[in-house]
Amino acid sequence: MLPDMSRDQQLDLLRKMLMIRRAEEHVVRFNEEHEGLIRGHFHIYIGQEATGVGVCAALAPEDYLFSTHRNHGHVIAKGGDPGKVLAEIIGRETGYCLGRGGTFHVAAPDLNILHTSAIVGGSTALASGAALAAQLLETNAVTVVFFGDGAMDEGVSYESLNMAKLWGLPLIFLMENNYRKAGRVNSGHSTDDLASIPRALNVETTAVDGGDVGQVYGVLLDLVRRTRAGEGPFFVEARTHPWPGNDGDHPELVAGLTDINWAWDPSPVPEKARPWYAEGDGILAYARELADSEGCDRDTIVRLDEEVRREADAAAQFALTSPLPAPEAALDYAYAGRGD
Ligand SMILES: Cc1ncc(C[n+]2csc(CCOP(=O)(O)OP(=O)(O)O)c2C)c(N)n1
Ligand SMILES: [Mg+2]
């Protein structure tokens, strides 16, 4: 379903989704091609771009966003600079958190992404605090907190849902249900319907196809409006189509770099990944839909992708050539104040 907006705005959604894909393809290659460049583990957002971009398109710049261990895509979707995101992922001084956050904690206060917690469920409480502040200060800002289905077995999620409902906070709980925990199929839940939990707390819930950017945008536009009008909180379950590259211990480009032409002919995709690219990839589906619509065509989409690829390549180069923070600056920003 094409989102109800101008053609330029529709193309801008595709541009953002492609930017997340292209930037994260670089992240996987950072890991594969440069040993030790990414310190520790990392997670990527490939396959869930339609959700992040659809949600952020419905937000105003002053709205708050909280994220998880899969934050890279959310930051770019809210308008983040891919160069600064990639630089942060590899701990460079030019990154959003001056290299102190790394892949798990990319935050961008200037975009109202105040803090990112990779503690599963942790952001739900932080987001409730931001929403409470907005309510008390009467700023009219809406807060959206992204989390995975795994966060629903953390106690803090229940407390956040409960308090948000009791206090009528301007907060949207956005669960990205990929039916996995960090790639592993093991729900750990005694319910098959995770949305029954917020329903039990009288929080209104809506399910969307997380691979359909138009649908996500349409639903969020309405919920954001209602949240601003004081009707919150709300809970959204975005059902995603898990990307097969996330199935192993580390993300892997199981089909190589995405070729935009697979939108029209997925036959060159390696067999084991072909069903996902043919049916599950929200980017290719949206590209197809746009190209089929009046006043647009395949060439426009292919050119847009080429442009995005060049920008993402430049962003990766920027990150790779940026310096690490100086060792003597290790303690800078570690303390908010010394109490004097
Ligand atoms: C409290 C806590 N326990 C365990 C972990 C280790 N861990 C990192 S990601 C993850 C699974 C998260 O699953 P989900 O929330 O569904 O997100 P997904 O990776 O599927 O997007 C776990 C258990 C953690 N970061 N925090
Ligand atoms: Mg999950």
Side-chain angles (χ1 to χ4, degrees):
M1 165 169 104
L2 283 181
D4 184 14
M5 51 173 58
S6 73
R7 177 48 48 91
D8 280 354
Q9 288 170 319
Q10 288 175 343
L11 287 170
D12 196 51
L13 296 194
L14 181 64
R15 167 184 289 279
K16 283 220 169 70
M17 289 161 73
L18 280 167
M19 182 54 83
I20 296 171
R21 175 71 53 94
R22 297 305 181 195
E24 291 213 299
E25 287 176 345
H26 275 293
V27 177
V28 180
R29 282 178 290 167
F30 282 171
N31 183 54
E32 284 169 359
E33 293 165 15
H34 308 263
E35 206 188 323
L37 188 62
I38 300 180
R39 315 283 165 105
H41 200 44
F42 69 104
H43 296 274
I44 56 171
Y45 195 58
I46 290 183
Q48 297 178 207
E49 297 93 340
T51 302
V53 169
V55 169
C56 289
L59 295 177
E62 62 270 23
D63 293 332
Y64 294 102
L65 185 156
F66 284 82
S67 179
T68 66
H69 55 290
R70 265 183 228 290
N71 61 69
H72 315 158
H74 297 144
V75 178
I76 293 174
K78 192 140 194 305
D81 173 342
K84 287 171 75 174
V85 171
L86 292 177
E88 188 57 47
I89 291 167
I90 57 173
R92 302 301 159 118
E93 203 174 56
T94 52
Y96 265 111
C97 310
L98 312 176
R100 270 76 173 172
T103 169
F104 282 127
H105 301 285
V106 184
D110 55 320
L111 301 171
N112 274 0
I113 304 175
L114 301 183
H115 178 72
T116 293
S117 173
I119 298 299
V120 173
S123 281
T124 59
L126 301 173
S128 302
L132 176 62
Q135 187 186 59
L136 292 173
L137 297 170
E138 298 179 7
T139 64
N140 218 20
V142 168
T143 299
V144 171
V145 56
F146 287 97
F147 52 94
D149 42 307
M152 292 302 286
D153 57 344
E154 296 292 336
V156 66
S157 304
Y158 300 89
E159 295 176 47
S160 302
L161 278 162
N162 189 48
M163 294 315 294
K165 182 63 192 177
L166 285 173
W167 292 345
L169 295 183
L171 177 56
I172 298 175
F173 291 88
L174 204 304
M175 178 177 74
E176 294 188 78
N177 192 357
N178 57 10
Y179 312 92
R180 282 161 175 67
K181 293 208 284 193
R184 294 196 176 80
V185 185
N186 166 22
S187 90
H189 301 295
S190 55
T191 175
D192 294 328
D193 176 17
L194 291 172
S196 65
I197 296 159
R199 272 200 298 274
L201 299 169
N202 291 325
V203 176
E204 187 178 316
T205 72
T206 314
V208 289
D209 177 351
D212 182 339
V213 68
Q215 195 188 122
V216 173
Y217 169 74
V219 166
L220 261 291
L221 199 62
D222 187 47
L223 292 180
V224 167
R225 180 188 57 75
R226 290 180 60 196
T227 306
R228 248 189 258 294
E231 295 176 37
F234 293 101
F235 183 97
V236 177
E237 175 183 7
R239 297 178 179 155
T240 70
H241 308 255
W243 176 59
N246 269 334
D247 290 350
D249 281 345
H250 280 88
E252 207 186 318
L253 296 175
V254 277
L257 302 180
T258 307
D259 182 341
I260 194 76
N261 292 297
W262 294 344
W264 301 281
D265 176 17
S267 62
V269 184
E271 208 176 327
K272 66 174 177 172
R274 199 176 305 146
W276 187 82
Y277 285 91
E279 288 151 35
D281 186 347
I283 294 185
L284 297 183
Y286 185 54
R288 225 174 6 249
E289 220 185 332
L290 269 172
D292 277 351
S293 66
E294 216 180 304
C296 192
D297 55 25
R298 211 166 136 166
D299 279 356
T300 310
I301 306 291
V302 171
R303 272 199 310 275
L304 178 72
D305 177 52
E306 278 164 9
E307 230 175 273
V308 172
R309 283 176 81 143
R310 276 196 297 276
E311 278 173 43
D313 291 351
Q317 204 48 32
F318 166 79
L320 287 168
T321 53
S322 290
L324 289 163
E328 57 274 19
L331 291 183
D332 289 359
Y333 317 110
Y335 302 102
R338 296 192 195 135
D340 53 19

